[in-house]
Amino acid sequence: MATALHSVFLFLILSLLTTIISAHNITNILSEFPEYSQFNTFLSQTKLADEINSRQAITILVLNNGVLSTLTDKQPLPVIKTALSIHVLLDYYDPQKLHQISKGTTLTTTLYQTTGNAQDNLGFVNITDLKGGNVGFGSAAPGSKLDSTYTKSVKQLPYNISVLEISSPIIAPGILAAPAPAPSGSDVNITALLEKAGCKIFTSLIVSSGVIKTFQSAIEKSLTIFAPSDGAFKAPRLPDLNKLTNAQVVSLIEYHASPDYIPFGTLRTSKDPINTLASNGAGILVLTTTTAGDSVTLHSGLTSSRIAETVLDATPVVIFTVDSVLLPTELFGKAPSPAPAGEPVASPSPTPVLAPSPNESPSPFADSPPAPPAEAPGEVPADAPSDDSENSKSDNGNAGPVMVSPVLSVLLTVSTIVIFFIILS
Ligand SMILES: *[C@@H]1O[C@H](CO)[C@@H](O)[C@H](O)[C@H]1NC(C)=O
Ligand SMILES: *[C@@H]1O[C@H](CO)[C@@H](O)[C@H](O)[C@H]1NC(C)=O
Ligand SMILES: *[C@@H]1O[C@H](CO)[C@@H](O)[C@H](O)[C@H]1NC(C)=O
Ligand SMILES: *[C@@H]1O[C@H](CO)[C@@H](O)[C@H](O)[C@H]1NC(C)=O
């Protein structure tokens, strides 16, 4: 009897936990509804799902597969991403709230507004109480019609996420007719874009090493590039690129790219290590991220760099510039052992060594003494042109624990309850 009770409690607790942990997973929510499978697939492909999962108080206006196809047929992914981001409202609307809009009409912000590409109210949706109890939706852009109406509630997790079905797509003027916000897929001229973005040195390395071919074939599927700016190559303590073998240059460049589509929103929210083109699926030569507010920093183990700018986000290709060259530990030596916060790095050998070819050059570092002096306590390393690109060497700025702790505390609370019940019964 007691055992049965335990099982019941455990089952209840476990299902509660599952609900809590997956509460914000839109992919999971929609997977229960085959009629929205296309909508769900597009949310995943465009990575809008990551943005949705990272926000609280959000409403998704879904379209069933038949209706959605009228919107997405023959459209390239970047256009679909824009169109769907207009269907993500940055506020929580359940059916009740929809019918209680003050003065019967309101404008609400959408995810599209956050991209910075929306002009003329294109990033807002007009919600209006229509006659006969209907609720109409339309673009807030002047001259738009409210020809989409609320049809039914799909799912609510108050007050975090609400999924509502609407009758037809909300189409902001110009979104579908206009050429894609950026060329998509194989139309992208990587070298031209990178040169224009101030990454001439990186571009010439891509071309001279032949990695451009790898990039061009990756672009057909998905590709993310983290291109160091020209300033990044002027930083002291960089290996002398002329002394690297071609294989090392190839690895170094491939380390600055991922075979996945990782737009900024995903970079900001995902805690998973980033597979690079240099990783070859072996789990090494990965990058990790930390987030502070809206700023994302990449870490190689040896060096760190802030994401400076998004040059291109055209699903499934994204190109960022970064402030510093990312040196993979596997190629350039061991990571300095993380010093406890506030203590000087006293370790005698944080000096990176060129592992693969020790005979080539005793000092792979161009403009610096063979052994960089240990950093003074609390001092920001002065080796990068940009102030904030290298200031979290030991991953102390990790935002992970902050995000994880609510789940942990729930786990702890629940375990306490379980133990309490077990003792009781
Ligand atoms: C829902 O949002 C509130 C804050 O608005 C937050 O405290 C809570 O953890 C969220 N619940 C879930 C299940 O994510
Ligand atoms: C969301 O759910 C899907 C399918 O249910 C799963 O594959 C995915 O890993 C989940 N994502 C997160 C961030 O938990
Ligand atoms: C929403 O659209 C309707 C119809 O075009 C308009 O009358 C109303 O003023 C709009 N609402 C807001 C808040 O702009
Ligand atoms: C890409 O742009 C560069 C100029 O930066 C040009 O030389 C090259 O021919 C272009 N490649 C393609 C495939 O259009």
Side-chain angles (χ1 to χ4, degrees), residues 25 27-28 31 53:
N25 188 337
T27 313
N28 215 3
S31 67
N53 294 344

Side-chain angles (χ1 to χ4, degrees), residues 90-101:
L90 304 187
D91 199 353
Y92 179 84
Y93 286 96
D94 53 19
Q96 198 187 5
K97 185 171 167 191
L98 268 191
H99 289 99
Q100 291 171 348
I101 289 165

Side-chain angles (χ1 to χ4, degrees), residues 189 191-192 195:
N189 185 332
T191 54
E195 280 180 355

Side-chain angles (χ1 to χ4, degrees), residues 255 271-274 286-290 296-301 395:
Y255 188 64
K271 305 281 170 300
D272 299 335
I274 297 168
V286 298
L287 286 163
T288 58
T289 54
T290 54
V296 174
T297 303
L298 297 171
H299 306 273
S300 72
D395 287 6

